[in-house]
């Protein structure tokens, strides 16, 4: 599938970090989080979250591994990408 052909790196900031919570079904579009986020981990793609996001305390036991990334480092991460999409 497409997951083997593309290199996706995900960066979540602000409330978006809650997509990694142990109960994502409470979020809008939860089916997409539950279905697709585990594929990133399965194929070894990194998931980054905003360092010191106030929402990190609300995660409980995260559903997937992640790495914190400081705002100042997002430009470095983006510069290594062939394409960048912001939502």
């Amino acid at each position: 599938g497409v997951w083997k052909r593309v290199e996706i790196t995900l960066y979540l900031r602000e409330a978006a970090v809650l997509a990694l919570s142990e109960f994502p079904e409470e979020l809008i579009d939860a089916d997409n989080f539950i279905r697709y986020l585990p594929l990133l981990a399965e194929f070894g793609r990194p998931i980054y979250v905003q360092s010191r996001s106030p929402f990190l305390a609300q995660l409980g036991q995260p559903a997937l591994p992640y790495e914190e990334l400081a705002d100042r480092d997002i430009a470095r991460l983006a510069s290594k990408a062939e394409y960048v999409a912001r939502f």
Side-chain angles (χ1 to χ4, degrees):
V2 71
W3 294 101
K4 293 179 183 177
R5 295 191 306 246
V6 297
E7 291 188 23
I8 296 174
T9 301
L10 181 63
Y11 175 74
L12 303 170
R13 61 179 289 116
E14 302 295 336
V17 303
L18 296 175
L20 300 175
S21 73
E22 56 186 324
F23 305 111
E25 57 274 346
E26 298 174 3
L27 302 173
I28 295 172
D29 292 328
D31 292 340
N32 290 322
F33 299 127
I34 293 167
R35 182 176 180 190
Y36 296 112
L37 286 181
L39 290 174
L40 291 176
E42 182 180 326
F43 288 102
R45 302 308 310 148
I47 299 174
Y48 296 102
V49 299
Q50 179 186 16
S51 181
R52 298 188 208 148
S53 168
F55 296 95
L56 288 173
Q58 298 176 36
L59 280 182
Q61 182 64 37
L64 298 166
Y66 65 86
E67 183 179 332
E68 290 188 38
L69 186 69
D71 287 343
R72 67 179 178 275
D73 295 326
I74 191 68
R76 176 187 52 80
L77 181 66
S79 72
K80 294 178 181 179
E82 193 168 330
Y83 299 100
V84 176
R86 180 174 179 250
F87 301 96

